[in-house]
Amino acid sequence: MNSPKSYDGLSAVVFLVGLHEGVMPFVAKLWDGKPKLSLPTRLPSPAWWLVSASVIVVGFLLLWWIDSAKKRRFPDT
């Protein structure tokens, strides 16, 4: 990756996927809704929250890893 903007774009994609596939199912289940494009809500009851929680954790770890890689590659930004 040749510019800091590419790291920012990758971070934005990871954040949006984590938000939609990780956080959105929890919010939707609170109001008895079902997002149409959210894959974890199509799973049975004990599995959907495990998948959503793991998406949140993996998304957080990826964001941390991308940020540290950006700081290592471009220390002045």
Side-chain angles (χ1 to χ4, degrees):
M1 295 201 203
N2 295 329
S3 73
K5 289 184 180 182
S6 57
Y7 286 99
D8 293 338
L10 186 60
S11 294
V13 168
V14 169
F15 178 75
L16 290 175
V17 168
L19 185 69
H20 191 269
E21 299 295 329
V23 176
M24 185 71 97
F26 285 113
V27 173
K29 291 289 183 171
L30 285 175
W31 286 285
D32 217 17
K34 196 171 216 178
K36 293 180 182 178
L37 297 176
S38 182
L39 297 175
T41 56
R42 299 179 191 269
L43 295 172
S45 184
W48 73 266
W49 63 270
L50 290 171
V51 172
S52 294
S54 64
V55 166
I56 292 170
V57 170
V58 169
F60 177 75
L61 291 175
L62 279 173
L63 286 173
W64 175 74
W65 182 68
I66 292 168
D67 188 51
S68 67
K70 178 183 170 186
K71 288 179 183 176
R72 216 176 22 249
R73 175 101 163 119
F74 302 102
D76 57 343
T77 57

